[in-house]
Amino acid sequence: MKDKSIFEIKSLDLFYGNFQALKSINMELAGGEITAFIGPSGCGKSTLLKTLNRMNDLVEGCRITGTVRLMGQDVYGGMDVNLLRRRVGMVFQKPNPFPMSVYDNIAFGPRTHGVKKKSALDSVVEKSLRDAAIWDEVKDRLKKPALALSGGQQQRLCIARALAVGPEVLLMDEPTSALDPISTGKIEELLLQLREEYSIVIVTHNMQQATRVSDRTAFFLLGEVVEYAKTETMFSMPKDKRTEDYITGRFG
């Protein structure tokens, strides 16, 4: 999986009505890596993230041209959206557990995909919670409401919920922006562990976070990818003056 291209994006333009939110995006996202999207608010990074599992389908007046391929398959060319979202999981900015028990949050996806046997569900629930580094904190509270957990625990629960259906890719839209520094640290540690099994794309406002967790970084400005490189290279030797200005804090 590592180094193989997982997503290929070619000549991608995206419009909300008459407004062009993404302009001619061309990039390949490598498998087995963490890719960070950085840039000021409203620059297109979350919009691009959502095109990868067609979350923008839900937005009225959204029009997309160009191609997005997941391991060679055209995401917008008749691919089953439910299958796509099973392969490409999503974790949002604010933790959004379902108003049900911890156990039922994790079992929800597998049940939807036809797993009915209790022993099978038990093992998926345990594995997903272990993979999300939260099993020890919740193993005695599986029947308790998920909404009773702390914010940081809820976000790890949402990561476990995304993992429960066996995705290949995890999309994360600023997953730590609503969390305190300790919870943020736990999620960053978790991301580095998850990279062993999953390809991860993370939108972050926090440039230190991008340097700590990502292998590659893309810098967005006004709907365009200005620069896309190995994270180390981009932060030490940016090629574009606009990238340098942004990462040194001259604007943004």
Side-chain angles (χ1 to χ4, degrees):
M1 185 78 151
K2 199 161 172 59
D3 295 332
K4 252 183 88 174
S5 163
I6 187 147
F7 273 110
E8 276 177 80
I9 304 160
K10 287 202 175 133
S11 308
L12 184 78
D13 292 307
L14 183 143
F15 299 84
Y16 293 127
N18 295 325
F19 172 69
Q20 186 167 4
L22 294 175
K23 299 167 191 163
S24 195
I25 307 288
N26 289 288
M27 62 195 303
E28 286 193 16
L29 304 179
E33 290 194 346
I34 299 177
T35 304
F37 291 173
I38 63 167
S41 290
C43 65
K45 51 194 190 300
S46 290
T47 301
L48 180 62
L49 192 76
K50 288 173 187 159
T51 61
L52 301 178
N53 72 344
R54 291 182 50 178
M55 287 306 256
N56 287 320
D57 285 15
L58 309 169
V59 179
E60 212 177 310
C62 177
R63 188 165 58 80
I64 292 170
T65 60
T67 56
V68 178
R69 291 185 184 280
L70 170 62
M71 296 175 139
Q73 284 181 283
D74 188 348
V75 165
Y76 287 87
M79 187 186 276
D80 179 319
V81 173
N82 292 327
L83 177 62
L84 170 67
R85 293 195 187 135
R86 182 179 177 175
R87 294 176 65 189
V88 183
M90 182 114 189
V91 175
F92 296 93
Q93 188 168 356
K94 288 200 170 68
N96 61 344
F98 302 139
M100 49 179 75
S101 71
V102 168
Y103 184 98
D104 287 336
N105 261 272
I106 308 300
F108 184 87
R111 280 182 181 133
T112 311
H113 293 293
V115 180
K116 297 284 183 271
K117 217 169 145 198
K118 188 174 182 308
S119 58
L121 286 169
D122 287 352
S123 78
V124 168
V125 168
E126 180 172 342
K127 182 182 186 322
S128 305
L129 291 167
R130 280 190 188 282
D131 285 354
I134 190 176
W135 171 252
D136 290 338
E137 293 164 56
V138 299
K139 63 177 190 265
D140 301 323
R141 305 166 63 178
L142 295 176
K143 296 288 176 231
K144 297 264 184 342
L147 294 167
L149 299 174
S150 72
Q153 288 173 324
Q154 287 186 17
Q155 192 63 305
R156 279 180 288 144
L157 180 78
C158 292
I159 293 170
R161 187 177 67 195
L163 298 179
V165 293
E168 293 151 53
V169 186
L170 268 186
L171 307 179
M172 298 189 158
D173 195 0
E174 297 196 48
T176 61
S177 65
L179 304 179
D180 62 87
I182 289 170
S183 300
T184 296
K186 283 187 176 169
I187 290 202
E188 288 182 4
E189 273 172 47
L190 171 59
L191 291 179
L192 295 170
Q193 290 164 18
L194 290 173
R195 180 179 57 184
E196 301 301 311
E197 276 189 70
Y198 307 93
S199 307
I200 299 170
V201 187
I202 179 172
V203 166
T204 180
H205 258 108
N206 181 329
M207 282 182 280
Q208 285 72 33
Q209 182 169 71
T211 57
R212 286 192 297 264
V213 304
S214 72
D215 300 283
R216 289 170 208 265
T217 298
F219 169 54
F220 288 74
L221 196 57
L222 301 171
E224 295 179 45
V225 175
V226 171
E227 192 162 341
Y228 177 42
K230 289 204 158 162
T231 299
E232 221 174 295
T233 310
M234 184 182 287
F235 282 92
S236 58
M237 294 180 294
K239 288 194 169 67
D240 192 292
K241 178 82 171 72
R242 292 167 296 175
T243 314
E244 187 182 344
D245 286 350
Y246 182 72
I247 62 182
T248 55
R250 290 197 191 104
F251 77 94

